[in-house]
Structure formats: C-alpha cells, structure tokens
Amino acid sequence: MIASFVGLALLAAQATPPDSAWTWTLYTDEARVALANEVPDTPSLRFTLECDPASGVARVAFYGGAAETGMARVTAGEAVAVTESTAERGALKLTLRTDHPVFAAFAADGRMAAAVGEHRRAVEVPRPHLAKLRRFTELCSG
C-alpha cells in the first residue's frame, strides 16, 4: 500500500513541473506568431497567445482548471471586454482584438483575467518578459 502511494506521489510530482521550469517563449514565422507560458520541449502549457501576423486578432488560451463555454468578461487594468469563449480539452479559449483597450492594458502591465460563469482565470507576464508580449502585439497588430 505504501509503495503504491509513493508511486502515485512520484507520478504527481512528474506531472507538475517546478515553477523554475516555466518560461515565456515567443515563436514567430511567416504564418503564425505565438507567445506561450510553457515548459519548453514538453506539452506543459499555462497560457498561450496566437495570431496570424498583422491580423489584429489574438487567440487567447488559458490552460489548466475547469473551463466553461459562454460569454467571458475579460479585464486588464480598468478596461473590460465581453467576448465569446469556448472550452477545449481543459483550456478556456477566446479572441481579442489587439487594438482593444483590454489588450492595450494587458500589453502595458502584463496582467489580464477572464471570467466565465463562476470560473475565473488570470495571467501575469513578469516584467522581464513584457518585451515579448509587446513584440507579440506589434507583430499581430493590423
């Protein structure tokens, strides 16, 4: 019994990478721009932004936790937006225009939250990585 518990504890520890393994990575090519809060070279994601270059539209995904489909109230700083969200494989997904005040406030201070029903998700891009967020916004803006 104890051996089973120890085995399960080891699996749980492997499933949740330590905070030091997480980073923000900006990916760019001609067809897509992405900013990910991830553990590199693994499928572990906390948050992603994606866009087609110069499209003016960012696809936002919050990973982990419960996700609901419905209208999402998105906040950053004093700005508020309401947009439709979907729940796909445990991720809350929504879209925002990069010229919307919510996205501008997010790019300025790196904090954004989304609420659908009783479920709330938040993201914070640490100051050393804000340049990547601003570069993402620049590349995606139409």
Side-chain angles (χ1 to χ4, degrees):
M1 178 98 145
I2 293 175
S4 296
F5 179 72
V6 170
L8 288 173
L10 286 173
L11 285 175
Q14 291 173 352
T16 306
D19 280 343
S20 62
W22 292 87
T23 191
W24 287 89
T25 309
L26 180 65
Y27 299 98
T28 62
D29 63 31
E30 292 176 10
R32 182 180 81 127
V33 179
L35 179 64
N37 185 213
E38 66 177 351
V39 177
D41 301 323
T42 73
S44 298
L45 293 169
R46 286 183 178 157
F47 180 82
T48 60
L49 292 171
E50 292 184 66
C51 76
D52 300 326
S55 66
V57 177
R59 295 177 299 275
V60 180
F62 294 86
Y63 294 90
E68 257 185 63
T69 297
M71 297 309 290
R73 183 176 190 272
V74 184
T75 58
E78 298 296 316
V80 176
V82 176
T83 185
E84 189 173 351
S85 69
T86 60
E88 296 178 28
R89 289 177 263 133
L92 173 67
K93 296 187 174 186
L94 53 96
T95 59
L96 288 172
R97 292 206 43 88
T98 56
D99 60 359
H100 192 283
V102 164
F103 207 87
F106 175 48
D109 76 1
R111 290 188 294 262
M112 180 171 60
V116 180
E118 298 294 319
H119 300 169
R120 185 175 187 279
R121 304 284 185 93
V123 64
E124 183 171 351
V125 180
R127 185 165 300 284
H129 297 282
L130 281 177
K132 295 173 190 171
L133 174 57
R134 292 177 184 139
R135 181 68 178 145
F136 172 89
T137 304
E138 177 183 306
L139 291 169
C140 295
S141 294

